[in-house]
Every structure is written in C-alpha cells, then in structure tokens.
Amino acid sequence: MVESKAAMPQHIAIIMDGNNRYAKAHGLPTGGGHIAGKDNLDPLVEHCMDIGIRALTVFAFSSENWQRPANEVALLMKLLEQTVHDQLPRMLRHQISLRFIGDRSTLTPHLRAIMQDAEEQTAHFTKMSLVIAISYGGQWDIVNACRQVAKQVAQGALTADAITQDDFARHLSLSDLPAVDMLIRTGGDYRISNFLLWQCAYAELFFTETLWPDFKAAELDQMIDIFMGRERRFGKTSEQLLGLGF
C-alpha cells in the first residue's frame, strides 16, 4: 500500500467551545466557564511553542456572538481585555508575537488600544504567533478582502480579469502565515461556525466532546499524532505525492 504521511502541522486553529456547559456542569456562577476557558489557554500556548507549532489561532469572540445577552457580552469583553494583559508578559518572555484578527470597529477604543500596543511590542518575535480572533467572522474576512481588491480595480492598479487567488488572499487575515493545517473544535458540535473559511480550505478537521476548559495538551498531542498519520493529497494522487509519476 502506498503511504505518504503528513508532516508536523505548522498552523493550528481552535474553536474554543463549551465554556457555558462547563460552568453548568461544575456549578459555577455566571461567567465562571469563560474564566476557566481563559485560564486554559496559557498552558496550551506554551505547549504548542515547545513542540514547534508556528502559529496558533483561537476563536475568542465571533461576529455572531454580539447577539448574546448583553451581560455575557460585557463579561466576555472584560475577559478579552484581561487576556491581553495576561498574555503580554508571557509573549515577551517566550518571544511569541501576539496578534488579533476581526472587525475592530465594533470594539471599544480602550480595547483596540491595548490590542494594538500588544501587537506592536511583540511584532518582531518570530518564534511563534498567537492569534486571537475577536469580533471575527470568515464571511466578514472575505468581504473585507473583496473591498480591498475592488479599490485596486477602481484605482486602475488591477483589472478584474487579472485577479488571481493570490491577489485576493493577500488581503485576508493571516495572509503572511501558513494556511491552517488543523482545525479543532471542542464542545461536541460539528460545524466550523464561520471561522477562517478561506484559510481552512484544506485543513484537517478534528471534533471532540471535551469542553474547552477540559481540553489539555495530551488530547492535542493525540490529535497531532492522528494528523501526522493522514495523507494530505491537495487534489493529487498518492503516487504523485511520492513522485512515482502515475
């Protein structure tokens, strides 16, 4: 049997789901699950750095999450601000770049300012990137890229017939990072919920019943082992991947 196994993933994306169910299961007060979820991120970031992952992108707050109850949204915004404060010293210590993607126009000026400050302080680090998606949606990302390409066409810098996938992709979030290799969703749901739609075009998908606050490095390692055992053909045949010329 012809086999061509995948290499170590460079870019992992995680939909961190299940915080509210975790809180109910553990009798925590309102917001307790989100706090537990925030605390769970730190050891996983450091683990990804230790095993050589180049980029970790996590879905913290989606475009659709603005429809949640106002008190929950306010708590999430407060926790996101705290996350930036908590992460920055760790990013500086471990030389990890901290980045944010999403529609910043929907965020408060204060949150935008501390996000920008964190990005500027860590922009020169190349060891690893931690990307936090806030007020992000894959459809928003694609429409935003369309606007940028349309401006180029309107300015005469590009003709509509000459637009390529690469031209378009350059205007998407994370265009300078490798495409997502693994997309993980915790919490037991089987959908990607408008997350990195373009960037995950060839991602290997992993779904787990584990709630996000309970998702640990050992389970991530099991998924990576499975990933590395998969054949990623990108439209080619197994024989082509091995250079057999069939």
Side-chain angles (χ1 to χ4, degrees), residues 7-27:
M8 186 78 170
Q10 295 186 71
H11 190 171
I12 296 175
I14 304 179
I15 300 173
M16 306 180 294
D17 197 19
N19 290 337
N20 282 332
R21 281 167 285 165
Y22 178 90
K24 290 177 182 177
H26 290 80

Side-chain angles (χ1 to χ4, degrees), residues 88 91-92 95-100 115-130 176-177:
L88 183 56
M91 302 299 100
L92 295 171
Q95 299 187 339
I96 298 172
S97 69
L98 180 58
R99 301 167 56 173
F100 303 91
M115 288 162 56
Q116 181 176 343
D117 178 65
E119 287 178 323
E120 291 174 353
Q121 289 195 54
T122 63
H124 59 290
F125 294 143
T126 59
K127 189 171 186 179
M128 177 183 162
S129 293
L130 170 62
D176 59 322
L177 292 178

